[in-house]
Amino acid sequence: MVHTRRSFLATGGMAASLSVLGGQLYALAAQSAPRMLIVFLRGAYDAANVVIPVSSSFYYESRPTLAVPKERTMALDDDWGLHPSLKEPLELFWNDKRIAFVPFCGTDNLSRSHFETQDRIEYGLAHDVGSGPSGFMQRIASVMSGSKPIAFSDRLPIAFSGSINVPNFTLSPRKLAVSGRTRDVIQSMYEHDDLAPVVAQGFSVQQDVYKAINTEMRGANRGAVSTKGFELLATRVGYLMRERFNLGFVDIGGWDTHVNQGGVEGYLPKQVGSLGRGLAALAKTMGPEWANTVVIVVSEFGRTFRENGNRGTDHGHGSIYWVLGGSVHGGRMAGPQVEVKRDTLFQDRDWPVLTNYRSLIGGILQKGYGFTPAQIQLVFPSAPPADLNLV
Amino acid sequence: MTHTRVRPTWSLRSAAAVLQLLLAGLVAAPAAHALDPEVMALANRLSWGGGSPPAVSTEEYLRDQLHPPANDGLPQALQDRIATMEISRRDPLELTAQQEKLRKELAAVKGKPSYGEMHKAYNAKIRSWQQEASERSLLRSVYSQNQLKEQLVWFWYNHFNVHWRKGRVQPLFADFEESAIRPRVLGRFKDLLNATVFHPAMLFYLDNRANKAGKINENYARELLELHTMGVEGGYSQKDVQELARALTGLAPDLRPLGERSRDSRELYIFQGVRHDTGDKVLLGQTIKGRRSADEVRAVVDLIARQPATARFISSKLAKYFCCDEVSSALVDAMAETFTKTDGDIAAVLETLFTAPDFRQSLGRKFKDPMHYVVSAARVATGAGAKTDPSLLARYISQLGQRPYDRSTPDGYPITDAAWSGSGAMISRFEVASRMSRNPGDIRDSPYVRAVMSNLGPNTRAALAGASNLANWKTIFFASPEFMHR
């Protein structure tokens, strides 16, 4: 049987997209639609030093300079502890059971290549198919009724590629290159052009986002808002996911820690602390909509279980994904697990993958978003959804 | 997304009308170098765009582009600049050996304090090869007279895509473009295909090194059928994929330094008979005699290249890139017929395309991908006397999502209009327009702008008339819908 890389979009996708663009760009329905946000950590974050297998002596043997002592971690359960940088931002989530960690999670791809594996994840297709005309977020958008997708990035990620025009917008606080009068002049040139709706959408998303991050943010939040890095970005994401969009994708780089990654303190701890504070800020900003939101933190793969000779780690396989949200059944390590020791390593170097990301997300779509089995198949072909009881 | 654009005001009909009037002597003959709108429209498509109106007839222009001279017409300074690049003057065997040496040196200092610095230096060296390749191809794209050829170098590299970042590919992809692709872009398709099959960059990229008798790796065989020749609807079966994979066993890169070779051969591939599956294969209904020689590979490649599905798939891809997203099956049929009749002569197939009514209808309506957008803008600026900075061009193209050599999957960058005209993409494009406007050059002086000014739509002309200064004028011009199309 020849595998065909068919278009996975619902029929009439183009017409549907124009109606999505046309009327309801800004006002979400009065009743709260469920939100989903994928946070992609690009560079393969070192899961083993963030959600730490504290009951494993093999962990401490494998990482003589990097291992985080058990007493420094925030206890999750008997076997796992959370990196101290995440205690302050995430402790409440854990205690309220609104965050779960899915260890031994990842893909079938064994290239250990950032680019290849990231792309494969974003296409969301079966291992031997690889790439196609659309990404999985695009397919979710085509199935989810009333979806208002947004990619918070410079360029449209592969996950959102396809024939529905999904807007992308970066939230980094640089001045708009094209604004005000020039924007109006440019738009006037497209008045009678076929590209008019697309240009209009681009500018209105740009304006909307810019206004949101510059005016409504000031003073609108209860409590202090950090002015730095991902925390600021995440607050903006939260605001926009509350007000304007319900299906989002944001990526963060800087996780490829081959050298001097840090144990209790250092580079990775700082990065992950910033991530944690960002997620907390996002949740806070979403306010009542947090109860309707699921955030899934993913990465292309984990890293080698043993540290390398440069106080860092190299490309691995199994990772730990995070699932958090106002109605998530959290406060636990979810999914199939094995004891962390040398025998259970994959190829004697990495963590195994016991939960495929497609089954993880598919399962959440099924239970939390009411997707039918046929719809799950459309989004993630040949991937049976896994019910980890997360939603 | 189909474009039902306002027709450009020039057309065959108006050109014919002018001609009639001329012949009737009722209109004074126009000045010697007056713009021929037809050849301008053709040039905007057969070139990267933004260039001076050709001073020849459409027939001559078409002929020159389809059968270009060996000389690309680059200024001497540019030829020298390209010639001194490492990727131009050093053999890929040398580059591979250097990469190997640097990796060994790096491994030797693992765990030592000097590792960090050496790692940085290693990365910088590898990246410099990509920067050179990118500069070389962008300079040629901007300055070469053989514009169709340069577009085809991009098109065929993209068709036979290899990702520059894959470890073993890094010292080889520039040579892949230069020696496998570039000399064959307007020749016979099967010669081009063959050259890619035997190039180590492809054999590494699609893992044919791992493909051996008894332990088949289908990756290359599958992509060869699906992406390079027959297309996913081409009618081959999974069994065909396996049989092709069997035929390709034993074909591997050979990058040993010259001194280590037993033969004096400088071939960059090796056919390892002992790793080859020598049984007969049944591929696409034909029995291919198994043999312990690369001739078997040539035989299967030949068989695949001759398939009607290959003629159709390649024809339709060329039509998508040079004409329109939705190609009529009549046009594909005509091109495929030429393909078959001429044994896959790419220039002949393109001539069928470029003389088709559908093609003429499409002129001025094709949405530019990032490469066309940025390169055409650069050519407008050089037409006004400005110099081109290829590293800046590469940066703009990357910002718009089409960084040279950086497509990680074998399918290459998408070639349809729809892939590049999303809302976020348009905003990025306007931002790039704004950045380009700050580069030197009064583009109002360029032959291109002078040629197209009177044919711009009223909204665009009004917008330009209201520009506050030169930079603003340039931003508006580069952001106009007319400039987004070719």
Side-chain angles (χ1 to χ4, degrees):
Chain A
M1 175 193 71
V2 182
H3 56 266
T4 48
R5 293 176 184 177
R6 278 188 292 256
S7 163
F8 293 103
L9 296 174
T11 51
M14 213 42 224
S17 75
L18 286 174
S19 67
V20 163
L21 294 180
Q24 287 224 293
L25 195 52
Y26 306 110
L28 284 180
Q31 108 274 6
S32 304
R35 274 79 157 158
M36 179 180 275
L37 176 71
I38 304 285
V39 178
F40 202 127
L41 307 183
R42 294 199 191 275
Y45 93 101
D46 185 30
N49 248 36
V50 173
V51 182
I52 297 145
V54 293
S55 68
S56 162
S57 55
F58 182 57
Y59 166 74
Y60 291 99
E61 288 157 28
S62 302
R63 296 182 170 213
T65 72
L66 295 182
V68 180
K70 177 174 175 174
E71 62 273 14
R72 299 296 303 269
T73 65
M74 180 192 106
L76 296 173
D77 64 17
D78 290 338
D79 297 312
W80 301 89
L82 196 60
H83 193 284
S85 302
L86 287 173
K87 178 176 153 83
E88 209 239 290
L90 296 184
E91 184 170 29
L92 273 174
F93 290 86
W94 180 261
N95 292 342
D96 286 347
K97 300 192 190 316
R98 295 305 174 210
I99 186 169
F101 298 102
V102 186
F104 313 113
C105 195
T107 73
D108 298 333
N109 190 280
L110 291 179
S111 67
R112 295 190 180 89
S113 150
H114 292 301
F115 311 102
E116 180 176 315
T117 316
Q118 285 176 20
D119 287 1
R120 296 288 168 100
I121 289 177
E122 292 192 56
Y123 281 117
L125 301 174
H127 168 63
D128 58 341
V129 173
S131 61
S134 64
F136 80 86
M137 297 287 283
Q138 159 93 199
R139 300 193 292 277
I140 293 177
S142 75
V143 167
M144 200 187 246
S145 65
S147 76
K148 311 256 184 301
I150 179 88
F152 299 107
S153 55
D154 248 329
R155 279 182 264 133
L156 197 69
I158 287 174
F160 265 131
S161 64
S163 70
I164 300 177
N165 276 316
V166 174
N168 66 286
F169 202 77
T170 179
L171 296 176
S172 57
R174 61 164 196 268
K175 218 171 154 322
L176 292 176
V178 172
S179 61
R181 205 188 140 259
T182 307
R183 179 194 61 233
D184 294 339
V185 166
I186 292 177
Q187 202 153 355
S188 75
M189 292 194 286
Y190 285 83
E191 191 189 344
H192 303 298
D193 196 275
D194 278 357
L195 290 171
V198 169
V199 171
Q201 182 197 45
F203 277 132
S204 58
V205 169
Q206 183 200 48
Q207 264 177 281
D208 212 30
V209 168
Y210 196 69
K211 203 169 68 148
I213 67 187
N214 279 293
T215 60
E216 265 109 350
M217 288 318 300
R218 291 191 213 114
N221 285 302
R222 306 174 285 284
V225 172
S226 170
T227 51
K228 298 203 297 289
F230 178 64
E231 295 150 61
L232 181 57
L233 190 120
T235 317
R236 294 168 176 172
V237 170
Y239 177 79
L240 290 162
M241 292 293 290
R242 188 184 85 208
E243 295 294 320
R244 305 273 186 265
F245 304 100
N246 56 22
L247 180 65
F249 180 99
V250 64
D251 51 16
I252 310 164
W255 301 96
D256 193 21
T257 53
H258 288 280
V259 179
N260 279 331
Q261 70 179 55
V264 174
E265 272 152 17
Y267 176 78
L268 178 61
K270 285 209 191 78
Q271 278 282 98
V272 85
S274 179
L275 171 65
R277 287 189 295 279
L279 292 173
L282 188 152
K284 190 172 189 167
T285 311
M286 292 202 69
E289 295 309 328
W290 180 242
N292 262 316
T293 301
V294 177
V295 176
I296 309 172
V297 179
V298 306
S299 197
E300 61 266 37
F301 35 76
R303 303 187 78 82
T304 47
F305 195 68
R306 301 178 183 86
E307 63 179 67
N308 62 27
N310 294 101
R311 299 170 186 256
T313 46
D314 301 317
H315 300 175
H317 190 45
S319 179
I320 301 183
Y321 291 5
W322 313 4
V323 180
L324 56 155
S327 304
V328 161
H329 306 153
R332 60 198 179 95
M333 306 297 291
Q337 293 162 52
V338 291
E339 193 187 328
V340 176
K341 51 185 183 171
R342 182 167 179 190
D343 292 348
T344 57
L345 286 185
F346 176 72
Q347 294 180 352
D348 194 23
R349 54 174 281 163
D350 311 321
W351 267 341
V353 169
L354 304 176
T355 301
N356 187 284
Y357 82 101
R358 302 192 310 142
S359 300
L360 171 71
I361 301 175
I364 292 171
L365 289 170
Q366 187 166 58
K367 275 194 85 185
Y369 296 78
F371 277 39
T372 66
Q375 290 174 324
I376 304 286
Q377 267 309 290
L378 192 131
V379 175
F380 291 120
S382 324
D387 183 5
L388 271 48
N389 194 28
L390 288 165
V391 292
Chain B
M1 180 189 282
T2 52
H3 286 289
T4 47
R5 300 183 52 68
V6 171
R7 270 192 123 98
T9 54
W10 58 83
S11 68
L12 281 175
R13 190 128 41 110
S14 59
V18 168
L19 191 59
Q20 273 192 313
L21 288 170
L22 271 179
L23 291 175
L26 291 172
V27 173
H33 299 295
L35 168 70
D36 175 354
E38 227 196 293
V39 77
M40 186 64 179
L42 185 62
N44 272 339
R45 184 68 65 79
L46 261 54
S47 74
W48 284 104
S52 312
V56 296
S57 68
T58 56
E59 290 75 25
E60 231 184 295
Y61 181 75
L62 190 58
R63 200 181 54 229
D64 287 345
Q65 292 299 316
L66 284 172
H67 307 284
N71 189 340
D72 290 327
L74 293 184
Q76 188 60 47
L78 277 187
Q79 294 185 46
D80 294 342
R81 179 172 169 177
I82 288 172
T84 55
M85 290 180 178
E86 273 204 31
I87 55 169
S88 303
R89 61 185 164 77
R90 292 179 72 193
D91 195 287
L93 288 177
E94 255 192 82
L95 298 180
T96 302
Q98 181 176 23
Q99 184 195 41
E100 199 42 47
K101 175 166 171 282
L102 289 173
R103 276 169 48 161
K104 287 206 172 86
E105 287 172 3
L106 196 57
V109 298
K110 224 170 177 209
K112 305 211 182 89
S114 57
Y115 182 83
E117 276 301 305
M118 282 200 73
H119 195 225
K120 260 202 207 156
Y122 174 80
N123 283 342
K125 185 75 200 164
I126 301 297
R127 230 180 311 126
S128 75
W129 294 335
Q130 191 272 349
Q131 281 159 350
E132 280 192 343
S134 171
E135 281 194 23
R136 180 168 69 179
S137 58
L138 285 170
L139 284 170
R140 282 169 172 163
S141 291
V142 173
Y143 289 101
S144 170
Q145 312 280 20
N146 300 328
Q147 285 283 301
L148 176 63
K149 170 182 158 191
E150 295 307 329
Q151 286 193 81
L152 285 166
V153 174
W154 190 95
F155 173 84
W156 288 121
Y157 185 98
N158 193 57
H159 179 80
F160 291 107
N161 184 60
V162 304
H163 187 205
W164 86 274
R165 286 186 204 264
K166 188 156 178 170
R168 305 299 299 264
V169 176
Q170 288 160 349
L172 298 169
F173 75 95
D175 181 78
F176 178 69
E177 182 189 60
E178 192 72 350
S179 62
I181 307 240
R182 194 179 168 79
R184 299 177 178 83
V185 297
L186 281 161
R188 281 189 322 172
F189 176 73
K190 71 151 74 93
D191 295 334
L192 176 55
L193 174 63
N194 239 300
T196 64
V197 169
F198 285 93
H199 197 281
M202 181 63 74
L203 296 171
F204 275 127
Y205 179 61
L206 290 178
D207 301 321
N208 207 56
R209 263 189 328 158
N211 184 24
K212 45 190 179 195
K215 204 170 180 253
I216 301 289
N217 180 308
E218 289 178 4
N219 196 11
Y220 186 24
R222 189 181 328 116
E223 308 301 11
L224 205 160
L225 287 168
E226 177 171 338
L227 300 175
H228 297 169
T229 55
M230 295 173 67
V232 72
E233 309 287 343
Y236 56 88
S237 66
Q238 177 56 25
K239 189 89 201 311
D240 288 323
V241 173
Q242 283 163 349
E243 294 292 272
L244 176 58
R246 288 178 60 214
L248 293 172
T249 48
L251 181 62
D254 181 3
L255 297 160
R256 294 169 299 162
L258 281 176
E260 287 175 30
R261 293 164 181 243
S262 50
R263 308 162 285 150
D264 278 323
S265 165
R266 306 200 66 208
E267 297 286 13
L268 300 179
Y269 70 89
I270 192 168
F271 187 84
Q272 295 167 312
V274 67
R275 288 163 68 128
H276 180 68
D277 177 334
T278 49
D280 288 352
K281 286 88 188 169
V282 178
L283 177 63
L284 302 167
Q286 297 279 322
T287 302
I288 306 283
K289 191 111 193 55
R291 64 208 97 154
R292 241 185 247 286
S293 110
D295 283 343
E296 183 182 329
V297 175
R298 293 187 190 95
V300 302
V301 167
D302 199 71
L303 171 64
I304 295 167
R306 276 188 278 113
Q307 295 295 306
T310 299
R312 290 195 64 82
F313 182 65
I314 298 302
S315 296
S316 77
K317 229 182 142 181
L318 284 167
K320 277 206 175 86
Y321 185 71
F322 283 108
C323 177
C324 14
D325 282 8
E326 304 293 333
V327 190
S328 78
S329 57
L331 178 51
V332 177
D333 285 345
M335 291 169 73
E337 203 188 314
T338 303
F339 189 107
T340 306
K341 276 207 191 114
T342 63
D343 198 23
D345 185 325
I346 297 161
V349 172
L350 285 174
E351 186 167 355
T352 301
L353 173 62
F354 295 151
T355 51
D358 282 3
F359 177 79
R360 292 285 159 98
Q361 277 268 40
S362 77
L363 293 180
R365 301 177 189 201
K366 188 163 194 8
F367 187 78
K368 290 179 182 171
D369 66 8
M371 271 295 292
H372 283 91
Y373 182 66
V374 173
V375 172
S376 63
R379 295 185 78 234
V380 172
T382 55
K387 279 188 69 170
T388 286
D389 178 352
S391 65
L392 261 186
L393 300 188
R395 206 180 307 163
Y396 300 142
I397 294 164
S398 304
Q399 196 186 332
L400 297 176
Q402 211 176 28
R403 185 189 302 251
Y405 313 107
D406 209 20
R407 177 72 172 184
S408 65
T409 45
D411 57 348
Y413 288 113
I415 58 173
T416 54
D417 290 3
W420 301 105
S421 51
S423 56
M426 292 308 297
I427 299 305
S428 296
R429 222 169 255 219
F430 299 144
E431 294 203 356
V432 167
S434 168
R435 286 187 195 172
M436 292 194 297
S437 75
R438 289 181 235 138
N439 297 335
D442 187 345
I443 62 170
R444 295 172 302 188
D445 285 343
S446 71
Y448 176 82
V449 172
R450 280 191 261 116
V452 303
M453 270 310 282
S454 56
N455 285 304
L456 298 174
N459 291 30
T460 300
R461 270 181 285 137
L464 288 169
S468 47
N469 53 35
L470 174 60
N472 193 231
W473 198 99
K474 287 159 75 172
T475 300
I476 293 170
F477 184 85
F478 286 139
S480 67
E482 291 88 344
F483 197 71
M484 292 293 169
H485 293 86
R486 64 194 190 101

